[in-house]
Structures are given as structure tokens and as C-alpha cells.
Amino acid sequence: MILLLVLLSLALRWAARHIRPVAATAFVALATLSGAALAQHAGLRTLVVPGDEPINVALFYPTVRSAGVVQLGPWRPVVGLGAPVSAEPLKGLILVSHGTGGNELAHHNLATRLAAEGYLVAAVRHPGDNWQDRSMITSGRYFGERPRQVSRVLDALLVSPEWGPRIPVGRIGALGHSAGGYTVLALAGAQAEPARAAQHCRSVQDDPGFCGLAQGPKALRPVAAANTAMPANVVPDGALVSVPDPRIRAVVALAPMAVVFTPESLKAVTVPVLLRVAEQDAVLTGKYHGGLVAANLPTAQAATVPGAGHFAFMAQPSQSLPSDAGDAAANPAGFDRVAYHAVLEAQVVQFFAQQWR
């Protein structure tokens, strides 16, 4: 509870600087109600979905056991490791997809908040696109396989004797950042045309972060053409990639990689979408990615976060995390990631609650 009060205090300071007076008043009321409702805490377990490419999953869930800070590599989630699951009914299931080269703990702050609010949260470590292995980028199956991996996790949870009977029908959502934002929008019905990536990078000079990452990890670029082996049950990308999962009823896309989507397919998305774009995104230039989504999906609850960089939507690591996309622990001058997260967490909780009242 002390940690919650600290986060709320930071969030109120952020709101005073960035939110208009009426909106700030509404935020204070929401924060007060959320604080009163957090009688539960977040438990953490792991799950492995078997297959030719096993998928590691972090399961965050509500528990009545008190949680504490746990150091897990560069992450410090507030969880009860292996704690018993609360007897209260689950509010829903939220699937989480990290960005390229990330892992299942990269958004632990959002996961623990949702778990404390009563949701089961399944955070995926994408095989072939995580901090240890990014070979999928050059495999010719990236745009289809990433969303399919999330659907595989959903399949496993729905047939699980422990979790399946507890997941409320029709209350399944997804949240993703960067390539994870692409992933959840694809699950919502947006269609990718892989050739758009190369066309885009030939025609513009002001999206170097995306165009560099699209070539794959530097160590793999010389052998990309030879990296064609894939499990027999994996489908290579075609001219148009369509991988919707109608079981997913609401989506949060944070600084999504979106230039590959066709405008027509974005216009056809009917799933509710919460969209956030970083004002100072040096990895995915906003006008080509989040801006494309906002322009073609006017029903999305879209906003640009003032002063934020690309990694603003990830949990704050406890140490530097250098990558091909930059240091995931770094923030633009003057931007307080921890304070912003308290605001973002409240917005995400409110968004999902609105869908399933």
C-alpha cells in the first residue's frame, strides 16, 4: 500500500503538468477509487506452452497474499512468487506481447496492476524474437507467426484445468508494445502486407529506427537468406498476412509498429482499441506507425504522450539495457517514466473495465 501511495503521488504530479484541470480532477477520482479497490495483490507463476517452439509465459494473477519487490534480472516486479490464486472470480484474461528483443517481464508494472485489479495476465516471451534469440525476424514468417504465438497461449489457457473454467467468456483482451503493438492489432483484424516494409524504407529517410530493425539483428544479416528452416506446422508469410483471433475483444497498442498494415484493413477493425504514441519516439517514427493507426481507425481511443520516448511504455529497468533499438532504460530529458506509468496503468484498467461493464 505504501508503494501504491508513492506511485499515486508521482502520477498526480505528472497529471498536474500534462493534463487539463477537468481531466486531472477525473484522474484523481479514478486513482482514489482504484486505490480503494486494490485489496488483492499480484501473484506470479510461469507456464510453458509445449510445441515445436515452446513458449515461455509469465502468469500474473490476483492473490490475497501480500506481495513484495522481487529482483528478476533488470526487473523489479512487486509480486508474490507462487502465491495462491484468489478465490474471487476473475474479471478477464489479458494477453501481453512485448516488443522485438524483449521478454515476458518487460511490462510487469501493467501486468501486476491488472492482476491486482482481478485479471489473469499472460505475458508471452516470443520464440525467435526475444532478448536471447531474434532469428524469426529473418525467417520469412515474422508477421504471421508473432500473432499466432499469442493465439497458441490463449488456446493453452482455455483448455487448462486450472485456468480455463475461470476465464470469463467474452472477456479476453490483449496489450502490446512496439512489435507487440503490431501483434495485438493483427489479432484484432488488421492485415499486414510485408512488402510495405521495404517500400517504406526505400521511400523515406526519417524512420531509421524501424528500417534498421527491419533488417534483423546485425549478427544475422549476412546469413539471412540461409535462415529458412522452420517447424513443419509454421506457415510462412504470404503477400497479405491475416491472422485475426475473434476471441480477443479489446486491444491496447502502445507505440505500435504499424507501417506494414493496409489502411483498408485498419478501417475494418471493429475491436475497441486504446492507442498511445510517444511524442519523442526515435525507434518508430510516430506519423508512419501510430499515426497510421489513428488516421485509419477513428474509433480508437488515441493520444500522444508528451515528452515520451519509445521505451516509455516498458517498465523502468534497474540497469541499462542496450539493444539495436537503443537503451531501454533511458528516458528523454524531463520525462518521468515512473510517474507516467501510474497514469498509464489507470487508463489501461479503465479501458478494459469499460468494455466489460
Side-chain angles (χ1 to χ4, degrees), residues 7-357:
L7 290 177
L8 289 176
S9 175
L10 289 169
L12 292 176
R13 291 207 303 270
W14 188 93
R17 293 196 301 269
H18 297 287
I19 303 177
R20 290 180 297 180
V22 173
T25 301
F27 172 74
V28 171
L30 176 63
T32 302
L33 290 173
S34 297
L38 283 177
Q40 300 185 108
H41 305 278
L44 174 60
R45 298 181 187 174
T46 58
L47 169 72
V48 178
V49 177
D52 290 338
E53 292 183 308
I55 304 174
N56 292 296
V57 183
L59 293 178
F60 299 83
Y61 53 87
T63 180
V64 295
R65 180 183 292 177
S66 295
V69 176
V70 179
Q71 187 78 48
L72 297 172
W75 311 109
R76 293 171 56 84
V78 182
V79 292
L81 291 177
V85 183
S86 170
E88 294 294 316
L90 291 173
K91 290 183 179 179
L93 165 65
I94 309 299
L95 299 143
V96 177
S97 174
H98 61 72
T100 186
N103 71 17
E104 65 274 31
L105 296 178
H107 302 281
H108 66 74
N109 60 306
L110 287 165
T112 54
R113 175 62 187 272
L114 285 163
E117 293 280 353
Y119 294 90
L120 171 63
V121 180
V124 179
R125 183 196 301 176
H126 285 279
D129 190 20
N130 58 67
W131 70 282
Q132 294 173 308
D133 174 14
R134 293 181 59 215
S135 58
M136 186 166 61
I137 295 178
T138 58
S139 69
R141 58 191 176 97
Y142 187 83
F143 296 107
E145 187 60 18
R146 241 183 171 272
R148 290 190 192 99
Q149 290 171 350
V150 176
S151 290
R152 280 179 56 198
V153 173
L154 177 53
D155 292 340
L157 288 170
L158 290 177
V159 300
S160 162
E162 178 177 14
W163 298 110
R166 302 194 62 184
I167 297 171
V169 176
R171 294 191 172 198
I172 299 172
L175 179 152
H177 169 236
S178 194
Y182 160 81
T183 300
V184 300
L185 287 167
L187 290 166
Q191 297 176 333
E193 195 172 27
R196 287 176 175 266
Q199 293 167 358
H200 170 69
C201 292
R202 285 195 299 266
S203 62
V204 306
Q205 302 295 321
D206 56 345
D207 199 14
F210 167 77
C211 294
L213 290 170
Q215 298 178 51
K218 294 175 182 176
L220 291 180
R221 291 175 193 172
V223 295
N227 189 19
T228 57
M230 64 180 72
N233 64 337
V234 172
V235 180
D237 291 343
L240 190 67
V241 177
S242 182
V243 283
D245 192 324
R247 298 170 296 182
I248 293 174
R249 305 292 181 84
V251 158
V252 174
L254 306 171
M257 183 272 286
V259 74
V260 295
F261 287 129
T262 67
E264 297 77 16
S265 69
L266 286 169
K267 289 182 173 72
V269 170
T270 59
V271 173
V273 173
L274 178 72
L275 172 67
R276 292 293 179 266
V277 180
E279 182 184 46
Q280 298 188 37
D281 197 328
V283 179
L284 297 174
T285 303
K287 63 182 178 181
Y288 299 124
H289 298 279
L292 177 73
V293 178
N296 291 282
L297 187 54
T299 58
Q301 298 181 30
T304 297
V305 182
H310 183 72
F311 301 107
F313 307 104
M314 289 174 56
Q316 181 66 60
S318 61
Q319 62 190 56
S320 176
L321 281 184
S323 71
D324 284 352
D327 184 356
N331 298 294
F335 183 78
D336 189 332
R337 192 189 305 195
V338 175
Y340 169 64
H341 278 180
V343 176
L344 177 63
E345 291 161 20
Q347 291 173 341
V348 168
V349 167
Q350 184 182 35
F351 171 74
F352 284 123
Q354 285 174 339
Q355 313 315 314
W356 302 317
R357 289 193 276 219

